Amino acid sequence: MATQSDPNQIGKAFLQHYYATFDGINRNNLASLFNDKSMMTYEGSQHMGQKSIMEKLTTLQFKKCRHDSKTMDVQPSGAGGLMIVVTGDIFVDDGKNGIKYSEVFHLMKGQNNSFW
């Protein structure tokens, strides 16, 4: 895991972990990244809490995907967390043409004083 003092290293390590897990064979393994206060908006649909977020992530219509991140910006959030903005292309179900995406993550330290 990245050192706790370099926001860019933390952001890069988090994104590598998140997208490797998301693109892997079992998205259920993302559950530990969310808690009851977590919030996710996906194409206008809002989900709050680990259960609701995981229901959405595990019922997406595509079976396979691969994220190809192009940019990453990391800033301290002022609330003790980190804001990560990432853009890139996502390839779904063996498609040859990527779909542009952007995501924002707000990482907060958990009980173990780690961001994930």
Side-chain angles (χ1 to χ4, degrees):
M1 183 177 291
T3 64
Q4 293 294 319
S5 60
D6 184 346
N8 287 313
Q9 284 184 353
I10 294 166
K12 183 177 180 181
F14 172 78
L15 292 177
Q16 287 172 341
H17 171 71
Y18 182 84
Y19 289 129
T21 306
F22 189 100
D23 295 350
I25 59 172
N26 189 355
R27 286 191 200 117
N28 283 310
N29 292 331
L30 293 170
S32 65
L33 299 177
F34 305 102
N35 61 44
D36 290 338
K37 295 180 182 178
S38 297
M39 178 85 183
M40 179 185 83
T41 303
Y42 184 89
E43 295 181 345
S45 174
Q46 292 186 333
H47 303 274
M48 182 157 188
Q50 183 187 54
K51 182 180 180 199
S52 179
I53 292 169
M54 291 310 302
E55 283 176 5
K56 181 62 178 178
L57 292 179
T58 57
T59 59
L60 294 171
Q61 295 301 310
F62 49 87
K63 301 297 180 204
K64 293 170 48 177
C65 68
R66 178 178 58 85
H67 287 83
D68 183 10
S69 298
K70 301 292 186 187
T71 68
M72 175 195 77
D73 294 303
V74 182
Q75 299 292 324
S77 69
L82 294 176
M83 296 293 294
I84 304 172
V85 179
V86 60
T87 65
D89 298 306
I90 183 171
F91 296 84
V92 296
D93 292 333
D94 297 320
K96 303 261 186 259
N97 297 318
I99 301 165
K100 302 292 183 196
Y101 78 92
S102 66
E103 289 189 271
V104 177
F105 297 91
H106 186 192
L107 304 184
M108 297 298 294
K109 288 186 179 181
Q111 292 178 340
N112 62 358
N113 205 32
S114 175
F115 285 105
W116 76 93

